[in-house]
Amino acid sequence: MTVRKTNAVLRVGAFEPTFADELAKRYEIPILPDGPQRTPFLAEHASDVRVVVTSGHPGVDADTIAALPNLEAIVNNGAGVDAIDLDAAKRRGIGVSNTPDVLSDTVADTAVGLLLMTARRFGAADRYVRAGRWARDGPFPYATDVSGMQVGILGLGRIGSAIATRLLGFDCAIAYHNRHRVEGSRYRYAESPVQLARSVDALVVATTGEHRARKLVDRAVLEALGPEGYLINVARGSVVDQEALVELLVGGGLAGAGLDVFADEPHVPAELLNLDNVVLFPHIGSATGRTRTAMALLAIRNLDSYLATKELVTPVLRPRS
């Protein structure tokens, strides 16, 4: 495989290892430096850059976009584009791509796993055995069935739909809330997140992480879910009012939570670390070898396509022609 060296493409931010490896097999591209080296780098190279390649945090903000006068496209390795300033990109006519579909099943598996671990307390049961408490303290306390649950999906997109399909196998009754009803959906529609939370046993957050979704799951939604309700979040930490979530979990206002994402990753609120009704994952929703490879190859297809044709394979924003 021939490695193509180009200054027309710029790497921004830290890359997931599989993506870094696959990209390096095909392209030799400069990396935008941090700190005091950034200004002289941009002074020398900014005008050459037509495409930025990124992979989540810290993303591509308005200042970075403004510093690249000839930028035409941003290729993102990931489904979520919340770390990219889409408004700034749209004003400039800059195209943005992501990697949809290829991670939907894996993230849906993670959501169902979190729900099972949280409601059935599987992680706590494992710790109970390892600590010698089964022999010392007797049987582990009862937990909650997932089978037959009323489950709300906040965000019935690709991932939310894949989660719902899996939960049908547990005879769960599914409801959802989106900004708009999904035409032809078999699931019950709730008019608001509060209404959805009030009507279910567990709320699974699968929205995008875009700015308008920030704290969509606020205190009112969490209180509507109530002391017998479970929150599962595989979207973004910013979608949930984390301060209210911690307060309610500590005070018994929720039955439990399964969290793959947090507001200030990789930092997790200390109050959650010793709660046995909370399951904590280190943002591993799509973290399998097969899925990360598929994501990387799709991102590279977007890059290849844009350089060859000025078209993105999976555009979130189409570039101005």
Side-chain angles (χ1 to χ4, degrees), residues 71-117:
L71 183 62
E72 300 169 7
I74 300 170
V75 172
N76 184 55
N77 178 50
V81 291
D82 49 297
I84 298 170
D85 193 321
L86 294 180
D87 290 335
K90 190 172 184 179
R91 285 193 296 270
R92 286 263 305 274
I94 295 167
V96 177
S97 68
N98 67 342
T99 58
D101 296 324
V102 293
L103 50 67
S104 298
D105 285 335
T106 303
V107 176
D109 291 349
T110 302
V112 174
L114 275 171
L115 180 57
L116 283 166
M117 286 190 69

Side-chain angles (χ1 to χ4, degrees), residues 155-172:
L156 196 70
R158 294 178 176 92
I159 292 171
S161 296
I163 294 167
T165 298
R166 283 155 173 74
L167 290 175
L168 291 177
F170 290 85
D171 293 322
C172 292

Side-chain angles (χ1 to χ4, degrees), residues 194-241:
V194 168
Q195 185 185 89
L196 179 64
R198 188 177 293 125
S199 67
V200 297
D201 305 309
L203 179 64
V204 181
V205 184
T207 65
T208 64
E210 60 189 358
H211 182 73
R212 58 184 168 180
R214 180 175 173 79
K215 294 190 178 180
L216 182 64
V217 181
D218 58 13
R219 181 179 293 274
V221 174
L222 296 169
E223 289 179 347
L225 190 55
E228 296 183 357
Y230 296 89
L231 180 79
I232 307 299
N233 189 4
V234 292
R236 287 290 187 269
S238 59
V239 178
V240 176
D241 183 336

Side-chain angles (χ1 to χ4, degrees), residues 108-163:
D109 291 349
T110 302
V112 174
L114 275 171
L115 180 57
L116 283 166
M117 286 190 69
T118 305
R120 289 296 310 276
R121 302 185 65 200
F122 287 150
D126 175 79
R127 292 190 293 274
Y128 192 84
V129 173
R130 292 174 188 273
R133 295 186 60 191
W134 189 14
R136 185 175 68 247
D137 300 334
F140 187 73
Y142 291 162
T144 300
D145 281 314
V146 170
S147 295
M149 259 191 177
Q150 302 272 339
V151 179
I153 310 289
L154 189 59
L156 196 70
R158 294 178 176 92
I159 292 171
S161 296
I163 294 167

